[in-house]
Amino acid sequence: MKHLNWDDLRLLLLIAQEGTLRRAARKAGVSPATLSRRLDDLEDAVGHKLVERFQGGCIPTAFGSDVIALADQMGEIALDVERSRERQDAHAASGLVRINTDEWLSYFLTTRFARFHDAYPNIEVEIITSHRPYNLTRREADIAIRPYRPEQLDLVTRRIGTLAFGLYCSQDVAQRHAAALANRDWAKLPFVGFDEPRAEFQSDRWLRALPGAPAPWMKCSYGLGILDGVSHGAGLGVLATFLAGDAQDLHAVLPHIPELDQEIWLSMHGGLRTSARVRAVVDFMEEVFSAYRETGH
């Protein structure tokens, strides 16, 4: 057997995937004639016909199918090597990565980022909490995590999860108002919600629509204030469901309110895609949100 050109094996795999020389050539960025010649060279090197060529397409021979399966394994190994290199590059990366997000997601990230420092000790992370989205094009932040998809064309965006919400109270409130909770007698229950400037938040609109429910007697200007009030017995409040796992003293009145689900989008400037430090942070956040999708915490 002659010396094999590994790149020709990659082209063989592409031919098998695309089904025709023309489509495979277009995807590979070469002419069909060049691809046909490369296939001839590969068949000459292995000493066997690999592909039967027909007018309507290409069909691997029995031997060709075996070689294609091995080429596919080689492709996976090459990807593993590339991922290992990227992880090593990221581990050695240094510098500051600024993440802009809102209150709930800021709390979600800050309570889950500790182990990131163990893996990437030279990367600093700054989490900027703001209802106002920072301008990534002007580099006010490197990454944004928001409950909507940004519209700027020069941003790289991806959906990384869904933030769910439920109605909670403290265990003490659950015991004192057990009958009203069991009967869903909202009129007899105390509530905690947002203040007037944030009264149009989706969670507050939902709260005000509960049949007979009184207006929140305690109002807060920020989400974590509602968490503090609910945790310390001030009443019922709408909270992100991941808090149920973080605060064991919470009682789930309604564990999930589907109409309040929010898609979570990660976005960053296209010029940062090759930054090792930014890639490390993005990969870590995707792991965190993947765990949240699986466990709810």
Side-chain angles (χ1 to χ4, degrees), residues 92-104:
S94 61
L96 174 66
V97 177
R98 306 177 79 222
I99 306 168
N100 175 226
T101 189
D102 64 15
E103 290 171 287
W104 291 126

Side-chain angles (χ1 to χ4, degrees), residues 27 45 47 62 74 92 94 105 115 121 131 166 185 229-230 234 248 264:
K27 195 161 187 178
M74 291 170 57
S94 61
L105 293 169
R115 60 187 178 87
H131 287 294
D185 191 353
V230 170
Q248 299 298 327
I264 304 304

Side-chain angles (χ1 to χ4, degrees), residues 167 185-196 199 203-220 226 234-238:
L167 183 64
D185 191 353
W186 308 119
K188 296 180 180 179
L189 294 164
F191 288 88
V192 180
F194 283 108
D195 60 5
E196 291 307 315
S203 59
D204 243 43
R205 291 200 303 270
W206 180 89
L207 201 62
R208 293 198 303 274
L210 280 178
W217 76 270
M218 176 184 285
K219 300 179 178 68
C220 306
I226 296 176
L236 284 65
V238 176

Side-chain angles (χ1 to χ4, degrees), residues 234-254:
L236 284 65
V238 176
L239 302 172
T241 57
F242 69 82
L243 295 166
D246 295 348
Q248 299 298 327
D249 60 332
L250 291 178
H251 170 78
V253 179
L254 297 175

Side-chain angles (χ1 to χ4, degrees), residues 134-141 152-155 268-270:
Y134 277 39
N135 191 314
L136 301 183
T137 302
R138 296 176 183 171
R139 302 297 174 89
E140 293 181 343
Q152 293 97 315
L153 297 178
D154 55 351
L155 298 182
M268 62 182 175
H269 193 276

